Amino acid sequence: NDQDVWKIPLIMTINGEKKTILMTEKSMTLEDDIPENVVINVNKEASSFIRVKYSKELLNRLLSEENKKYLSPTDLRAIQNDIYFLGSQQIGGYTLADWLNLIFDWYLKNAALDGALFQDIFRILNKLSPIINKLGLSDKYGQKIEEFCLKYWDSHICNHSLLHSLKTYLCAHT
């Protein structure tokens, strides 16, 4: 029933300080309660089954150099999943290009990916590769996909023949 609203406990951190609140509405905006220049992780450890739409400014603060050490692999997985969902649905000014930029400009350079996060990202890249090819963006993103795979695939799978097969597949589809 669309009228039903579940109460959802939400664990967040504000400048590293843990805070628990209870969501009682279908959506919730926290802007009024957030001091300026604060770093906030709205769904710490993906503790609730919700989507978070950060403003680009809040997302940049969350992913800042000084804050990245506080982000767990679970946090990183939730953030990229939210950005992918928002971008794929073009919600809140996000596009798939925002997700691709997050992966290639931030995750590739800053994050130590665990197996689950790597699999999520690779699954999405696999879905997007035909779209990237069809839009004529292979030159722009093909090399970045290959770089991502070379950096992370080896550390998770340790199988060079599989990496070569994957690289061949991606190059053929991007």
Side-chain angles (χ1 to χ4, degrees):
N1 183 352
D2 286 342
Q3 303 303 321
D4 292 339
V5 178
W6 294 27
K7 293 179 182 178
I8 301 172
L10 181 62
I11 299 172
M12 58 180 19
T13 57
I14 300 174
N15 282 343
E17 188 176 315
K18 188 175 173 181
K19 182 177 178 180
T20 304
I21 60 174
L22 187 64
M23 283 183 63
T24 58
E25 304 293 325
K26 197 170 196 171
S27 69
M28 187 167 126
T29 303
L30 299 172
E31 293 167 359
D32 300 333
D33 302 336
I34 308 290
E36 233 178 281
N37 297 320
V38 73
V39 175
I40 182 169
N41 185 345
V42 175
N43 192 13
K44 183 69 179 154
E45 295 296 325
S47 56
S48 297
F49 190 67
I50 63 168
R51 292 280 181 210
V52 178
K53 182 181 74 69
Y54 290 101
S55 69
K56 303 255 174 126
E57 180 185 345
L58 281 175
L59 181 63
N60 286 335
R61 277 191 242 150
L62 180 61
L63 298 174
S64 69
E65 184 66 30
E66 56 275 0
N67 192 59
K68 71 180 183 181
K69 63 186 171 210
Y70 299 112
L71 296 172
S72 71
T74 304
D75 291 329
L76 293 171
R77 187 175 185 199
I79 292 165
Q80 73 84 25
N81 272 320
D82 288 341
I83 301 303
Y84 174 73
F85 174 79
L86 295 168
S88 68
Q89 303 300 309
Q90 297 185 339
I91 296 172
Y94 282 96
T95 66
L96 286 174
D98 291 313
W99 182 83
L100 288 165
N101 290 333
L102 175 71
I103 299 307
F104 298 133
D105 296 338
W106 198 88
Y107 281 60
L108 181 61
K109 296 174 181 144
N110 293 292
L113 303 183
D114 72 345
L117 179 55
F118 175 82
Q119 287 176 346
D120 267 6
I121 292 170
F122 185 74
R123 179 183 44 80
I124 293 169
L125 287 172
N126 190 39
K127 276 196 243 179
L128 291 181
S129 61
I131 297 167
I132 291 169
N133 188 39
K134 190 171 189 169
L135 293 174
L137 297 172
S138 295
D139 290 341
K140 181 175 181 178
Y141 290 112
Q143 182 65 35
K144 290 181 178 186
I145 291 171
E146 183 177 334
E147 184 182 344
F148 177 85
C149 292
L150 287 171
K151 180 174 181 180
Y152 290 112
W153 191 264
D154 231 11
S155 65
H156 287 85
I157 303 301
C158 299
N159 182 332
H160 292 284
S161 63
L162 190 53
L163 176 61
H164 178 72
S165 298
L166 171 64
K167 184 177 165 185
T168 303
Y169 172 80
L170 284 173
C171 291
H173 290 88
T174 57

